[in-house]
Every structure is written in structure tokens, then in C-alpha cells.
């Protein structure tokens, strides 16, 4: 007799337990959504995407391209250590901010927007060994890729050897490698002629080649023409034999 028939309303205690469980589930879902939103890239809004970014370099220059066809409403900003792009392409909004590893020459930098992509030509502040990565942060992103057609390995290797030569030369001379050449003038007056490390490297190599060629020529002059002596000795032997036969 104490049981409620099928289909009857649940007791108030059961309703309170069900409401409490529902509230706890809502709170957990809200916390999860907040955590996921915090993990999203800080430079994009929820309705925008990050474009594919391809980059290459020389010792003195960066090359960046973003394949975005039929671009409209582009907003491009180039700063010394940052590149910003916001645009609309084929019904989708794109936005990205690149915090560069080191500074670039803003006044000499330029970009070009064509029907298929956005391309940046960014001179570095100085000629130096090539960068190990494009961005200041070490995080790896799927949208950031190396453009192997614009990676100039030979130029990077030459800059690396030049930098090493300048660095160790300064160390041997007891100077700070970051202080620059010793003949740089400070203060007012006419600006000092700064030594170009690349020219110094080439002059040094040229001088070494010339010294090597001089040594080779000197050794060649001192060398004994052995083949001629052998031929002369054979001729003298033949003459001696012929003279002995005549006698």
C-alpha cells in the first residue's frame, strides 16, 4: 500500500537530488569550456583562422609568404619585431601576428599582394648566421612551414664561417666580439669606416691563395728536372757504347 503507482509524480526529495546533479553538471561543462577557450591562440578570434605561413631566408633577408587567394580588405602592419595580417579570403576571415626571433629593417621592408598570396621581403638588421626558427617562442605550429625553395643553405654557411672568423679573431686580440671593429670612432666628427667582415674574409682567402701559388711556383723553380737528366744520361751511355764499338 505504501508504493506509489506507475506514472505518479516523483517525491520532492528525488526532485531535489536530480536538480542538484544537473547544476553540478552545468558547472563542470562551464569550467571545461573556459579552459578550452584559454587554450585557443591568443592572436585570433573565435570566427577567424590562421593562414598557412611559409618562410625562408638568406643571411641578410627573410622571405614570408601566405597563400590566400582573392584577398579582400587586407590590413598589413610591419614592425621591427612583429608582422601582423588581417584579411578576408573566399568567405573566411584570417588573422595572424608573428613575433619575430630578432629585429628587421622596417624602412627597407616591403610586401606584395597578388591574386593568390601575400609575400613579404624583409631585410634583417644585419648580416648574420641564419635563424634557427622564425618566431621568438619555441612552440611548433602546424600552420608554420619552411619554404625550402627560399632557404639558401650556401649563403647561410658562408655567413656562419664569416661570423666564426670575426668572433675568434676578436677573442685572439683580446676584444669583446660584440663591440665591433677596433678602429670604430666614438663621439662626433666624421664617421669611421667600419670594416666589412665579408670583405675581410674574402681578402684573407685571396691572400692565402696568392701565398700558396707563390710557394708552389718557388718549389717548381727549385725542382730538379729528373726526366731530362735521365734522357741525357741515356744519350751519354749510348755515345760511350758507340765509341767503344768503334775502338
Amino acid at each position: 500500500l505504501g508504493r506509489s503507482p506507475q506514472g505518479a509524480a516523483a517525491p520532492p526529495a528525488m526532485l531535489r537530488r536530480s536538480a542538484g546533479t544537473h547544476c553540478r553538471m552545468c558547472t563542470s561543462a562551464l569550467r571545461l569550456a573556459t579552459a578550452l577557450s584559454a587554450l585557443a591562440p591568443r592572436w585570433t578570434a573565435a570566427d577567424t583562422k590562421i593562414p598557412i605561413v611559409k618562410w625562408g631566408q638568406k643571411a641578410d633577408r627573410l622571405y614570408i609568404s601566405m597563400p590566400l587567394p582573392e584577398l579582400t580588405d587586407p590590413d598589413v602592419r610591419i614592425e621591427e619585431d612583429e608582422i601582423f595580417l588581417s584579411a578576408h579570403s573566399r568567405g573566411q576571415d584570417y588573422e595572424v601576428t608573428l613575433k619575430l626571433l630578432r629585429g628587421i629593417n622596417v624602412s627597407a621592408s616591403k610586401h606584395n599582394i597578388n591574386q593568390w598570396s601575400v609575400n613579404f621581403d624583409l631585410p634583417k638588421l644585419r648580416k648574420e648566421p641564419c635563424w634557427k626558427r622564425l618566431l621568438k617562442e619555441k612552440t611548433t605550429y602546424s600552420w608554420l612551414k619552411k619554404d625550402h625553395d627560399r632557404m639558401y643553405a650556401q649563403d647561410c654557411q658562408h655567413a656562419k664561417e664569416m661570423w666564426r672568423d670575426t668572433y675568434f679573431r676578436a677573442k685572439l686580440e683580446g676584444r669583446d666580439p660584440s663591440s665591433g671593429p677596433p678602429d670604430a670612432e666614438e663621439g662626433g666628427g666624421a664617421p669611421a669606416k667600419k670594416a666589412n667582415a665579408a670583405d675581410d674574409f674574402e681578402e684573407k682567402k685571396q691572400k692565402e691563395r696568392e701565398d700558396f701559388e707563390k710557394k708552389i711556383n718557388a718549389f717548381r723553380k727549385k725542382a730538379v728536372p729528373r726526366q731530362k737528366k735521365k734522357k741525357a744520361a741515356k744519350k751519354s751511355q749510348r755515345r760511350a757504347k758507340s765509341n767503344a764499338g768503334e775502338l
Side-chain angles (χ1 to χ4, degrees):
L1 293 174
R3 296 179 181 177
S4 59
Q6 279 186 343
M14 185 178 296
L15 290 174
R16 286 196 295 272
R17 286 196 296 272
S18 176
T21 303
H22 181 70
C23 290
R24 286 195 294 272
M25 291 174 64
C26 291
T27 304
S28 300
L30 181 61
R31 289 177 180 175
L32 180 61
T34 305
L36 291 175
S37 63
L39 294 175
R42 68 181 186 284
W43 49 71
T44 59
D47 58 343
T48 61
K49 286 186 177 181
I50 302 175
I52 297 296
V53 178
K54 296 182 178 181
W55 73 286
Q57 64 176 322
K58 286 184 176 180
D60 60 344
R61 194 169 295 270
L62 289 175
Y63 301 102
I64 297 176
S65 64
M66 303 178 190
L68 294 171
E70 301 175 6
L71 205 65
T72 58
D73 302 327
D75 180 14
V76 179
R77 294 196 297 271
I78 301 177
E79 300 179 9
E80 184 173 335
D81 59 351
E82 183 177 296
I83 305 296
F84 172 81
L85 171 72
S86 176
H88 187 82
S89 173
R90 291 185 175 179
Q92 178 63 52
D93 291 328
Y94 291 92
E95 183 177 319
V96 65
T97 300
L98 304 175
K99 297 281 187 180
L100 301 177
L101 179 64
R102 285 192 281 276
I104 58 173
N105 188 343
V106 178
S107 59
S109 298
K110 51 189 177 181
H111 71 282
N112 175 46
I113 301 176
N114 56 38
Q115 187 179 358
W116 303 105
S117 62
V118 184
N119 301 293
F120 294 85
D121 187 351
L122 310 171
K124 299 178 183 178
L125 289 177
R126 60 182 177 275
K127 191 170 184 178
E128 59 186 358
C130 291
W131 299 2
K132 292 185 177 180
R133 60 182 187 275
L134 178 65
L135 304 182
K136 184 173 292 184
E137 54 185 335
K138 297 182 179 180
T139 309
T140 303
Y141 296 103
S142 59
W143 47 265
L144 183 61
K145 305 176 184 297
K146 285 187 177 181
D147 187 352
H148 295 285
D149 293 333
R150 306 305 296 271
M151 284 287 184
Y152 298 89
Q154 188 173 1
D155 185 73
C156 291
Q157 182 63 27
H158 177 74
K160 187 176 181 180
E161 293 174 358
M162 180 186 67
W163 180 87
R164 283 179 176 173
D165 182 74
T166 306
Y167 177 85
F168 287 112
R169 187 186 304 174
K171 282 290 188 181
L172 290 173
E173 294 174 357
R175 296 185 290 105
D176 182 6
S178 61
S179 62
D183 57 345
E185 296 180 2
E186 296 180 1
K193 293 182 179 179
K194 296 185 178 180
N196 190 322
D199 294 340
D200 291 346
F201 183 81
E202 292 298 333
E203 288 177 3
K204 182 181 177 182
K205 291 295 183 184
Q206 182 65 26
K207 187 177 180 181
E208 289 178 356
R209 284 193 290 266
E210 290 175 358
D211 293 341
F212 179 75
E213 289 176 1
K214 287 179 181 178
K215 289 180 181 179
I216 291 295
N217 292 331
F219 282 124
R220 285 175 179 170
K221 289 179 181 178
K222 294 179 181 179
V224 179
R226 296 178 182 176
Q227 293 182 354
K228 292 182 179 180
K229 281 195 171 184
K230 287 182 179 179
K231 289 181 180 179
K234 287 181 179 179
K235 286 182 179 180
S236 61
Q237 288 177 2
R238 288 174 185 171
R239 287 176 184 173
K241 288 181 180 179
S242 62
N243 292 336
E246 291 176 358
L247 294 173

